[in-house]
Amino acid sequence: MASTGSGLLHCQRDAYALEGVSKVVACIKSESPDSSTYHVTLEDSVLYPEGGGQPWDLGSVNGIDVEKVVKGTGSNKEIVVDLKQPVEVGAEVVCKVDWNRRYDFMQQHTAQHLFSAVADKLFKAETTGWALGAEYVSVDLSTAPSFLTASQIEEIETETNRMIASGSAVNWKIYSKDQIVNHDPTNADSNSPAELNLLRGGPKGAALELDELRMVHIDGLDLNPCGGTHLRGLSEINLLKVMGFEKDAGRGCVRVRFVAGQRALNYFKESLQRESSLSSHLSVPPVQHVSMVEKLLKDKRDTAKRLDIYSEELAELYAISLVATPERALNHTTEAAPVTPVYAYHRPGADLKFLVKAATTVLALYQKAHPDSTSVPLVYLSGDSNMPVFVSSLDPPKAAKPVKKSAKATASDATPSAATAAVETGLSGAFVLFGSDALVQTLKEPLVQVVTGKGGGRPGRLQGTAVSLENLEEVRKLLLASVA
């Protein structure tokens, strides 16, 4: 061992230290005009800075909450802490660590070392990346050109938990870069420390510039370069649970997600709570959850198919009611039938499929009823997701909930009839406009403006979505003016 680690931060020398005194080297206010943050440089600290995949510690400096901690640009033992208040340069300050956050990171980080070491031992899987997230740890494992299988990942998990139960010691040691680079595990006469035979991964990136490297040692299993905070023994991890994995063909690896320590216990607790809730909602024990959900999904698919059929039939009946009753045309008179009948109605609960079917049927029925006519009806229909209270009338009733009326609404809007349709202010949904190619093209832009929507379609058809479907009277005036 070449060094006792005197060049390391306090948190790297003793990850269990919760409090320590540091000297303030600098205190600079953020240059951002909108920020009240002070960047405080400390000489050594129990607070761990962001680095090596591990997030920074939280805590306090002289009672001021720490927002962020990063490595300093000067000495290896300097860190920069972000605070909301300034501190005096040259003063000694008391730094305190948020232990719950620190210990969680120690459990997850040590678990990652162990998981990666076991994966390497069992399947020569190389750890090409890892991340310690707020919810879980992810590790990228490569066995290129092949990929780890589900059974292999389960085997890694099992062996990892066996190692946790063994309680093997975890510690750190300092080695010179030359010791690591020049070590030959096949040379029995080598004077190198025996644990160097456990080396998994040599110095990379910025570590290549260092003369000495801090190595994390799992007794009898692994030795790996790392500057993070770790546990003293594997038993403190308690357990590790793999949550899932995904194959990443582009990166040539499998990304495994897991939780360890208290996170794993919380994960099981939350899972049991969800399981209990599902049992209550489904009225079956946990072992029947999957079969019951599969049954419900099948029932839902079957119901959706039946509703599609019923909706199509209802759309046809709705169209028949419009064409079969002359008065349903907005420009109908008792003296003579209009050259171009205009229909404009809103139906709560109608989706785009319903509207298209109804409008298509109106055109087909009109052509069938007037085979010698060259005119094409102008049909505007809109719908929203508010289901009507009842559908005893083919012209839908007002929605059940009381709503604010548009400023332009008339008294007749209060009672639905064949000539009016009560709709809500600010209604969003779908709309269609079918008719002659020329009329639809002419009306497209002004109609979209009136209903605040967007849409497109082929000649003679405009369909889309809108957020002002309540402007039905304006739509009717626009359509009637176009055929006047």
Side-chain angles (χ1 to χ4, degrees):
M1 188 180 300
S3 171
T4 59
S6 59
L8 299 176
L9 290 167
H10 191 165
C11 57
Q12 294 175 309
R13 301 192 303 273
D14 182 6
Y16 289 80
L18 304 183
E19 183 177 321
V21 176
S22 299
K23 183 178 180 180
V24 179
V25 177
C27 181
I28 303 173
K29 192 176 188 304
S30 172
E31 295 180 355
S32 174
D34 300 327
S35 174
S36 59
T37 297
Y38 289 85
H39 306 303
V40 180
T41 302
L42 300 178
E43 184 181 81
D44 200 4
S45 179
V46 292
L47 296 166
Y48 181 80
E50 180 182 24
Q54 180 175 324
W56 61 83
D57 280 339
L58 292 178
S60 65
V61 174
N62 273 7
I64 306 169
D65 288 343
V66 170
E67 295 185 332
K68 187 175 183 179
V69 187
V70 297
K71 294 178 181 178
T73 57
S75 164
N76 288 337
K77 293 183 66 174
E78 287 185 354
I79 65 167
V80 179
V81 180
D82 285 356
L83 305 175
K84 284 298 184 185
Q85 299 177 35
V87 290
E88 182 182 352
V89 175
E92 290 190 337
V93 292
V94 176
C95 301
K96 294 184 179 181
V97 176
D98 179 338
W99 177 243
N100 288 334
R101 177 181 170 94
R102 161 71 71 79
Y103 195 69
D104 170 52
F105 289 168
M106 290 166 64
Q107 286 186 315
Q108 308 312 312
H109 200 160
T110 307
Q112 179 271 314
H113 276 256
L114 177 60
F115 192 82
S116 292
V118 171
D120 177 69
K121 175 184 176 181
L122 294 181
F123 303 109
K124 301 298 181 184
E126 178 187 3
T127 295
T128 58
W130 83 287
L132 201 171
E135 296 181 1
Y136 56 81
V137 174
S138 63
V139 180
D140 295 340
L141 298 174
S142 174
T143 52
S146 61
F147 294 90
L148 289 173
T149 64
S151 60
Q152 288 174 325
I153 293 173
E154 183 177 355
E155 190 174 341
I156 295 171
E157 178 188 54
T158 299
E159 177 62 14
T160 297
N161 281 299
R162 190 193 70 78
M163 288 296 301
I164 291 172
S166 75
S168 297
V170 180
N171 53 47
W172 59 267
K173 296 181 180 180
I174 298 293
Y175 297 90
S176 71
K177 184 171 64 176
D178 289 341
Q179 275 183 301
I180 297 172
V181 173
N182 298 325
H183 175 66
D184 182 5
T186 64
N187 184 1
D189 297 327
S190 172
N191 292 323
S192 297
E195 61 265 19
L196 282 177
N197 291 328
L198 301 174
L199 184 64
R200 175 179 56 86
K204 299 177 182 178
L208 291 170
E209 306 299 322
L210 302 176
D211 293 328
E212 293 183 337
L213 292 171
R214 180 180 187 267
M215 309 290 288
V216 173
H217 176 219
I218 300 177
D219 190 27
L221 177 66
D222 189 51
L223 187 70
N224 192 246
C226 186
T229 57
H230 300 84
L231 302 169
R232 291 175 178 148
L234 297 182
S235 61
E236 290 188 67
I237 299 175
N238 293 329
L239 78 159
L240 178 147
K241 180 58 190 167
V242 172
M243 302 173 69
F245 67 93
E246 300 84 29
K247 184 172 72 173
D248 189 334
R251 298 168 61 91
C253 67
V254 169
R255 175 163 293 179
V256 183
R257 293 174 284 108
F258 70 76
V259 286
Q262 189 60 45
R263 290 194 188 191
L265 294 175
N266 292 341
Y267 176 72
F268 282 120
K269 178 183 177 181
E270 292 165 3
S271 296
L272 289 172
Q273 288 173 340
R274 285 191 293 269
E275 183 178 84
S276 176
S277 179
L278 280 172
S279 295
S280 176
H281 285 297
L282 299 175
S283 299
V284 294
V287 293
Q288 296 180 24
H289 283 179
V290 174
S291 59
M292 176 57 72
V293 170
E294 288 175 343
K295 178 182 181 300
L296 292 174
L297 289 175
K298 181 180 182 301
D299 291 345
K300 181 181 177 181
R301 289 192 296 269
D302 292 344
T303 300
K305 290 178 182 179
R306 287 194 294 271
L307 286 176
D308 280 344
I309 295 173
Y310 298 155
S311 179
E312 190 166 312
E313 292 176 349
L314 183 59
E316 290 182 356
L317 291 173
Y318 188 78
I320 290 171
S321 75
L322 295 179
V323 177
T325 309
E327 292 79 8
R328 300 298 291 274
L330 301 181
N331 53 349
H332 171 78
T333 65
T334 56
E335 298 177 359
V339 175
T340 302
V342 176
Y343 302 92
Y345 293 95
H346 177 86
R347 182 174 179 83
D351 58 14
L352 184 60
K353 186 176 181 180
F354 179 97
L355 302 176
V356 170
K357 179 64 178 179
T360 303
T361 304
V362 168
L363 297 186
L365 290 174
Y366 187 85
Q367 184 179 17
K368 183 176 181 181
H370 306 83
D372 298 328
S373 175
T374 58
S375 64
V376 179
L378 190 57
V379 184
Y380 167 86
L381 297 175
S382 62
D384 58 71
S385 60
N386 298 310
M387 294 302 293
V389 179
F390 60 91
V391 289
S392 59
S393 168
L394 292 175
D395 194 15
K398 183 180 179 180
K401 295 181 180 180
V403 296
K404 180 181 177 181
K405 297 299 297 178
S406 168
K408 297 183 178 180
T410 63
S412 61
D413 287 331
T415 305
S417 68
T420 63
V423 292
E424 300 180 29
T425 298
L427 270 183
S428 61
F431 72 91
V432 298
L433 177 66
F434 284 20
S436 68
D437 298 351
L439 269 180
V440 171
Q441 184 62 33
T442 300
L443 290 167
K444 177 180 178 180
E445 185 174 340
L447 176 62
V448 167
Q449 290 180 353
V450 169
V451 297
T452 317
K454 58 181 179 180
R458 51 193 175 90
R461 292 190 175 193
L462 172 65
Q463 61 188 57
T465 57
V467 296
S468 300
L469 296 177
E470 72 279 3
N471 296 330
L472 182 60
E473 289 304 321
E474 285 81 356
V475 171
R476 288 172 170 172
K477 291 175 182 177
L478 177 66
L479 269 55
L480 288 171
S482 71
V483 299

